[in-house]
Amino acid sequence: VLAMVSSVNATSANGIQRNTQALQDEARNIAKSGSEQNFDTQDVAKSLVKAKQHLRGVEASSRVIEVTDRAVGHLIDVIV
């Protein structure tokens, strides 16, 4: 069981890392677009949507870690 929990947490942590990096990339794209003379609102809108998706990915992965930690806590309570 602990190996499974460890695997789930590692996968979730990897998801947080990937989505955080992608979120930073989209933020850079938005900032870069704002400094260009040929400002393209569609590019900015696409980056904002992608940024929101990556934010949700971070939130989902964080929630998985919270739930698995709580489940392990309950298991420990039951065993003890």
Side-chain angles (χ1 to χ4, degrees):
V1 172
L2 290 178
M4 184 174 66
V5 169
S6 178
S7 176
V8 168
N9 281 346
T11 301
S12 296
N14 189 16
I16 291 170
Q17 186 177 18
R18 279 192 331 269
N19 281 294
T20 300
Q21 181 61 50
L23 183 57
Q24 290 172 346
D25 293 343
E26 294 305 330
R28 275 192 291 279
N29 289 342
I30 293 167
K32 186 175 72 174
S33 294
S35 65
E36 295 175 354
Q37 290 189 2
N38 296 331
F39 184 78
D40 188 353
T41 55
Q42 287 184 345
D43 287 344
V44 172
K46 287 177 186 177
S47 288
L48 285 169
V49 169
K50 288 180 183 178
K52 188 69 165 184
Q53 289 171 332
H54 295 303
L55 177 62
R56 293 291 182 234
V58 170
E59 291 171 345
S61 293
S62 297
R63 182 74 175 125
V64 169
I65 291 173
E66 289 176 17
V67 170
T68 55
D69 285 350
R70 191 173 313 127
V72 168
H74 289 307
L75 284 172
I76 291 170
D77 290 344
V78 168
I79 292 170
V80 174

